[in-house]
Every structure is written in structure tokens, then in C-alpha cells.
């Protein structure tokens, strides 16, 4: 049975820090269960197990920084496991009774085991929960944040999906209570609300308190090494990967301008009938067209490994996602070519929200077969990308802009977008590269078929 | 909807889609897209929250009227 090892969460990752175990010896795990939290240069990632088995020994303690591939835990196969695990603090439902091998004693993998934070009462204890809808437990990252700041999660109001406590709730619970005016004044005057005495009801900071604090001699600003260090680490990680790409990959570049009249017109008509939650963004169409085009030109969809091209086992789009604080992550939208536009849009929303709040899973950071970058939101018209090794191609889209455009010998104003391709010359030549842009163009002329 | 309710809804909606921005301190005339860096997906989420919170149907054609928090307050007070 293979050990559970430090996974590679992206081609640029060399080491990772195990920050937390979510299992203990004796626990039975299934493929896909989240078993640990790993901190990389870029983000905190919930890491899944790749095998079914029973945790035998935890080999690495939380806080250890180890290279990719280091064994973290020893697994034994379910059959070979002792009938009763070594006694741990928590009594478990008896799994001891001999059963036919097909029987699964644990709940399905869809419900990964999550720890109950210290001091958090078991929701089931005592009488049954009053409401039929019980908020989902907070993620390990949020639990850790709460622990670090000494917050009792039971006292926090969850505003996430289904009442789940999200990072913003913790931030809100720890930030000083202040009136909106006081907050605005504090920003304008450069006053840190953490150092202001609140004279309002229940210690709420009022505008006058901020003004008084602004008149008082200024304390030296406290350094924030943690955030700066994190930012620096991310820049280094991006730098390493992009330098490797430019060093190893002989890039070639192609570009074309695509008439988006059909696509945006269709989208507009469709969105007009739908509630906001189900509306599509142009980005969803560009991604779907890219995925279908990558399927048509498999020479560009895959990896360059050991001096040869290995085609992808499906079209898995890497989506370049800018983080507001700076830096980027590239989560993977799996089998994007097989998703309907609606499903792709929902998957995209889910993925990007979690990417920005640092709640991606390990499997979502790996395995992309081609990357798409869409800088349309930033207002630029074209982007010539840098390939993410070991992939061999990257598609880029700029902003959709209104331009004079000739159709059937007549000049009109049409929405157009510039699509570009950066591709690896070791794997393909311009002739092949041109085919994928041509396919994207053709697909976008028939939006109803996407 | 009173201007006060409208502002509260707008601030709450912004906090939800962009937890890293302290919505309480955002100036009423700051552009949500350019100054605060909301991308199209964030903005869609923001409109979704406004629509749910006010019970209003908000069309794509109306998006330009929601460019700042102040603009949102005007829009919501007139419609809801």
C-alpha cells in the first residue's frame, strides 16, 4: 500500500508545510477524502487522499516543511487492518464485527470527515437540532483562524452557503466595533481602529473617538511581516515557474480577432429571461469554446514530459485567476468540454470564489492540460501569455470591444475580441496552432451549440 | 426602500462578494469595478445579492446604474 505523500500542488511547488491533520491513526479513509491541510507558497490547500485504506501512522507532525514526495502518513489496506484500531480519545462506531468485504462501514466519500473544533459542542448532543437545516461546519482553515484569534465559533454568525462560517465572518467578529462614519474617518485620517477607545454603547467606536485618536501622538505603525512575507513567497513562486517556462519552452505566438456579435447577442437575449443567479458571462462562452477547440486539436491539449508530448486524458482548463491583493492562482476546471454552459458557469463561480478565499482542494490545482487567461476585465485588448509548464499551450482573451468591422462588404460596428495563442514549438508548429484559434472563432459563431 | 436600507443592502452585498474589502469604509463614489477591482464574476454576484435582498428584478441593461455604492442607493430607492 503506498504511503500518503506530500502532493505536488502545481508544477512550481518544491516543498510544502503540513499545517494540520484531519485524521488520526485508525481512521478509515477513502479516495477523495480530505485528510490534511498543506500550506504552499501560494495558498492553504485542503489535500485529499488518493487511496482507500486505514491510517496506520502519521509520519510528519504539523508545522513540518518537507519536500514534495515525502511520506506523510502510512496507510494499510482496509482488509489488513486490525479489527479494532488502537484506542483513541474518541470512541468510534464499532467496525469490529466481521462483515462481507463489500460492506462499507463508513459514510460515503461525499462527506469528508471534518474535525470538531475544541470547545465546539457536538451539534447532536442532547436533544435533536431544532432546525432541519443545520449549518455546515466551518472549513479547517476557518477553524484555525478562529483558534488563532481566540474566537468561539458557536458565537459567530455564519453568512456563507447554508449558514456556514466563512473567513469574512471571522474577520468581522474580530474587527473593532465602529460606526460606518468612524470607519471612514479612520481610513481618511490613517487611524488604526484597534488602538482606539470606543466611548459609544457597548464600546462601539464613534467618529469623535477617531478624531481624538488622530490628534493624539501617532504610534509607529506596526509591521505586518506575515502578509508581506506571504506576498513575497507568492511572487517567488510565480517567478520560478514563469522563469522555467521562458527558459525551457520555445514559445511561438499567434493571434486573431473574432467577431462576437452572434455570441453576445445570443447571450443578451438569453440572460434577459433569466434571474441574476442563472445569467451567463461572456467568459463562460469563451471558456467553453476554448475547451471544445482544445478537444478538436488534441496536439495542444496535454503535457511535454521527458522530451515528448503526452496528450491529456480529457480537457482540463487551467483558469488564470488574479487575486485582489496581488498574485494569482490557476485552479483547474475539469472536463470543461463536457460541461453544459450552465454547468460550466456554476463550476466557474464556485471555483473562483474558493480560489479567492483560499479554500481550493489539492486536486483543483493540478492536472490542467491547457490554460486560458482572460484579461478582459482589466480593460486590455490582448494578452500574449506565458505557458504553464508542463503544458504546451495557453489561450488568451482580451476585452470585448466595439470596433468598425466589415461584414459582407459592408462596414458596421461590431463587438470583437482578440484571441491569442502561446504554444510550445517543441510540441507543435504554427500550422497546428492556427487550427485551435480557427476552431474557437467558428464555435463562437454558433453560440446556441456551445 | 429607504436610502438607509438601500445603503445597508449595498454594503452587505459588497461584503459578501468581496470579503477582503472593508465595505463599511468604501467611499460612496468609488467605482466598484475600477477602484475596488471587482471583476465581472464578482459584479454578477453583487447584483445577485442586491436582487435577492430587494426582491427586484435587475436587468443587464441596468448594470451601468450600479457603478458605485451611491448609484446603487439611488437605483434601489427609486425602484424598490
Amino acid at each position: 500500500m503506498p504511503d500518503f505523500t506530500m502532493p505536488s500542488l502545481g508544477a512550481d511547488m518544491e516543498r510544502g508545510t503540513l499545517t494540520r491533520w484531519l485524521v488520526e491513526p485508525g481512521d478509515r479513509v477513502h479516495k477523495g477524502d480530505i485528510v490534511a491541510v498543506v500550506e504552499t507558497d501560494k495558498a492553504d490547500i485542503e489535500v485529499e487522499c488518493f487511496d482507500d485504506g486505514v491510517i496506520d501512522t502519521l509520519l510528519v507532525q504539523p508545522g513540518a516543511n518537507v519536500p514534495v514526495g515525502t511520506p506523510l502518513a502510512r496507510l494499510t489496506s482496509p482488509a489488513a487492518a486490525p479489527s479494532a484500531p488502537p484506542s483513541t480519545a474518541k470512541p468510534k462506531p464499532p467496525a469490529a464485527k466481521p462483515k462481507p468485504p463489500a460492506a462499507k462501514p463508513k459514510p460515503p466519500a461525499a462527506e469528508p470527515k471534518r474535525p470538531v473544533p475544541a470547545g465546539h459542542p457536538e451539534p447532536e448532543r442532547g436533544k435533536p437540532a431544532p432546525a432541519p437545516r443545520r449549518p455546515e461546519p466551518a472549513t479547517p482553515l476557518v477553524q484555525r483562524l478562529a483558534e488563532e484569534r481566540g474566537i468561539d465559533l458557536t458565537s459567530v454568525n455564519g453568512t456563507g452557503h447554508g449558514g456556514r462560517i466563512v473567513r469574512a465572518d471571522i474577520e468581522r467578529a474580530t474587527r473593532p466595533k465602529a460606526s460606518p462614519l468612524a470607519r471612514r474617518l479612520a481610513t481618511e485620517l490613517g487611524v488604526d481602529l484597534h488602538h482606539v477607545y470606543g466611548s459609544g454603547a457597548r464600546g462601539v467606536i464613534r467618529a469623535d473617538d477617531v478624531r481624538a485618536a488622530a490628534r493624539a501622538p501617532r504610534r509607529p505603525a506596526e509591521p505586518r511581516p506575515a502578509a508581506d512575507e506571504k506576498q513575497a513567497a507568492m511572487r517567488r513562486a510565480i517567478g520560478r515557474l514563469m522563469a522555467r517556462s521562458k527558459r525551457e519552452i520555445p514559445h511561438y505566438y499567434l493571434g486573431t480577432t473574432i467577431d462576437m456579435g452572434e455570441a453576445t447577442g445570443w447571450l443578451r437575449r438569453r440572460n434577459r429571461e433569466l434571474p441574476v443567479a442563472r445569467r451567463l458571462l461572456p467568459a463562460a462562452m469563451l471558456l467553453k469554446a476554448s475547451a471544445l477547440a482544445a478537444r478538436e486539436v488534441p496536439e495542444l491539449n496535454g503535457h511535454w514530459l521527458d522530451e515528448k508530448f503526452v496528450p491529456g486524458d480529457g480537457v482540463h482548463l487551467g483558469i488564470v485567476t488574479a487575486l485582489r491583493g496581488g498574485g494569482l492562482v490557476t485552479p483547474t476546471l475539469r472536463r470543461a468540454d463536457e460541461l453544459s454552459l450552465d454547468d460550466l458557469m456554476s463550476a466557474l463561480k464556485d471555483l473562483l470564489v474558493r480560489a479567492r478565499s483560499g479554500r481550493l482542494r489539492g486536486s483543483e490545482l493540478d492536472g490542467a492540460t491547457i490554460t486560458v487567461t482572460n484579461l478582459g476585465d482589466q480593460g486590455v485588448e490582448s494578452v500574449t501569455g506565458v505557458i504553464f509548464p508542463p503544458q504546451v499551450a495557453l489561450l488568451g482573451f482580451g476585452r470585448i470591444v466595439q470596433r468598425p468591422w466589415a461584414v459582407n462588404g459592408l462596414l458596421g460596428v461590431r463587438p470583437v475580441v482578440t484571441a491569442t495563442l502561446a504554444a510550445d514549438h517543441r510540441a507543435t508548429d504554427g500550422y497546428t496552432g492556427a487550427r485551435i484559434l480557427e476552431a474557437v472563432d467558428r464555435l463562437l459563431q454558433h453560440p446556441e451549440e456551445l | 426602500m429607504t436610502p438607509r436600507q438601500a445603503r445597508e443592502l449595498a454594503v452587505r452585498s459588497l461584503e459578501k462578494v468581496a470579503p477582503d474589502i472593508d465595505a463599511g469604509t468604501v467611499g460612496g463614489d468609488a467605482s466598484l469595478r475600477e477602484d475596488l477591482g471587482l471583476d465581472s464574476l464578482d459584479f454578477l454576484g453583487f447584483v445577485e445579492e442586491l436582487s435577492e435582498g430587494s426582491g427586484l428584478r435587475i436587468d443587464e441593461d441596468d448594470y451601468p446604474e450600479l457603478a458605485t455604492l451611491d448609484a446603487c442607493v439611488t437605483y434601489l430607492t427609486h425602484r424598490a
Side-chain angles (χ1 to χ4, degrees):
Chain A
M1 184 113 213
D3 289 337
F4 172 65
T5 57
M6 174 61 76
S8 170
L9 306 166
D12 54 327
M13 175 168 159
E14 288 160 8
R15 309 176 67 87
T17 305
L18 179 94
T19 50
R20 185 169 185 149
W21 280 112
L22 305 180
V23 291
E24 49 192 43
D27 281 352
R28 183 173 285 243
V29 292
H30 294 101
K31 187 176 171 182
D33 283 358
I34 298 171
V35 296
V37 179
V38 166
E39 183 183 318
T40 70
D41 286 343
K42 289 188 177 180
D44 289 342
I45 308 294
E46 298 176 341
V47 178
E48 304 107 316
C49 192
F50 290 103
D51 299 288
D52 290 353
V54 174
I55 302 288
D56 183 63
T57 327
L58 302 181
L59 302 169
V60 166
Q61 293 307 307
N65 181 277
V66 297
V68 167
T70 306
L72 300 178
R74 186 142 298 145
L75 293 180
T76 52
S77 67
S83 54
S87 86
T88 51
K90 255 188 289 181
K92 297 252 159 117
K97 226 185 273 179
K99 280 196 179 164
K104 285 243 169 88
K106 272 258 181 166
E111 278 185 21
K113 178 177 159 40
R114 293 181 188 279
V116 175
H120 192 305
E122 288 277 352
E124 294 93 341
R125 198 169 57 186
K127 36 187 158 169
R133 206 189 79 193
R134 195 171 73 232
E136 280 192 66
T139 64
L141 298 183
V142 170
Q143 289 172 16
R144 186 155 64 99
L145 203 61
E147 264 172 35
E148 282 169 8
R149 304 195 182 178
I151 297 174
D152 178 6
L153 278 176
T154 53
S155 68
V156 178
N157 238 342
T159 63
H161 185 71
R164 178 185 272 232
I165 297 171
V166 296
R167 186 177 284 209
D169 299 325
I170 304 291
E171 306 286 352
R172 208 169 295 121
T174 48
R175 81 178 186 190
K177 291 185 170 47
S179 72
L181 178 60
R183 231 172 256 293
R184 196 157 60 234
L185 264 178
T187 312
E188 282 167 12
L189 300 173
V191 172
D192 182 352
L193 285 176
H194 287 96
H195 302 312
V196 177
Y197 167 74
S199 66
R202 283 176 297 136
V204 170
I205 299 168
R206 300 180 311 151
D208 281 344
D209 300 330
V210 176
R211 290 197 189 95
R215 281 193 299 270
R218 184 75 59 90
R219 283 163 189 260
E222 283 178 34
R224 310 224 5 228
D228 288 352
E229 178 46 40
K230 194 96 192 152
Q231 187 64 28
M234 180 179 283
R235 291 260 51 99
R236 281 197 300 274
I238 294 171
R240 267 201 308 274
L241 186 65
M242 293 297 108
R244 177 182 152 201
S245 173
K246 284 282 181 172
R247 198 168 52 236
E248 293 176 3
I249 303 179
H251 286 64
Y252 69 87
Y253 308 99
L254 305 172
T256 191
T257 306
I258 298 175
D259 181 352
M260 290 291 284
E262 288 297 326
T264 53
W266 179 82
L267 200 66
R268 212 178 159 69
R269 287 192 297 279
R270 192 177 176 287
N271 282 347
R272 202 175 287 154
E273 293 158 19
L274 295 175
V276 187
R278 292 193 46 216
R279 285 180 200 162
L280 294 176
L281 289 174
M285 309 181 87
L286 297 175
L287 289 174
K288 182 69 192 290
S290 300
L292 290 174
R295 184 162 74 186
E296 276 186 38
V297 190
E299 299 95 320
L300 292 168
N301 182 63
H303 300 134
W304 184 261
L305 299 169
D306 299 329
E307 299 302 312
K308 68 173 199 294
F309 176 71
V310 181
D313 60 341
V315 178
H316 310 306
L317 292 185
I319 315 280
V320 181
T321 307
L323 302 175
R324 252 189 297 277
L328 50 86
V329 286
T330 316
T332 308
L333 194 58
R334 295 201 163 260
R335 306 209 173 276
D337 58 326
E338 296 172 13
L339 298 175
S340 70
L341 263 186
D342 282 326
D343 290 346
L344 189 148
M345 182 72 198
S346 324
L348 183 68
K349 275 188 193 172
D350 172 59
L351 205 57
L352 297 199
V353 165
R354 285 188 298 111
R356 294 213 164 115
S357 55
R359 288 198 286 118
L360 287 175
R361 312 233 165 92
S363 60
E364 291 166 338
L365 278 177
D366 210 17
T369 53
I370 184 168
T371 297
V372 180
T373 180
N374 180 356
L375 279 179
D377 277 326
Q378 267 62 44
V380 296
E381 281 184 42
S382 77
V383 46
T384 321
V386 182
I387 300 167
F388 283 72
Q391 295 162 45
V392 299
L394 176 140
L395 281 164
F397 294 96
R399 186 158 68 115
I400 301 174
V401 289
Q402 302 286 332
R403 286 286 176 269
W405 196 250
V407 184
N408 298 328
L410 285 176
L411 198 59
V413 175
R414 304 281 281 184
V416 299
V417 71
T418 302
T420 57
L421 172 79
D424 186 338
H425 232 319
R426 296 171 301 183
T428 60
D429 303 314
Y431 181 79
T432 307
R435 279 170 47 216
I436 198 168
L437 288 179
E438 224 171 63
V440 170
D441 188 347
R442 175 169 36 77
L443 290 158
L444 286 170
Q445 302 316 315
H446 304 282
E448 68 288 348
E449 290 167 19
L450 282 178
Chain B
M1 189 173 264
T2 66
R4 191 198 165 90
Q5 289 169 326
R7 186 164 304 271
E8 277 170 9
L9 172 60
V11 167
R12 202 165 60 235
S13 304
L14 181 59
E15 271 181 348
K16 191 137 182 195
V17 297
D20 48 327
I21 295 173
D22 191 349
T25 64
V26 167
D29 57 351
S31 159
L32 301 179
R33 297 292 295 269
E34 277 95 55
D35 296 337
L36 302 186
L38 295 201
D39 65 15
S40 50
L41 203 72
D42 297 326
F43 190 75
L44 188 70
F46 175 70
V47 176
E48 199 174 325
E49 293 292 326
L50 287 186
S51 176
E52 263 176 32
S54 63
L56 266 187
R57 187 199 153 78
I58 302 177
D59 287 320
E60 278 190 326
D61 294 336
D62 297 341
Y63 288 1
E65 294 180 52
L66 304 171
T68 65
L69 286 183
D70 284 350
C72 291
V73 173
T74 309
Y75 178 90
L76 292 170
T77 354
H78 286 169
R79 303 282 183 106

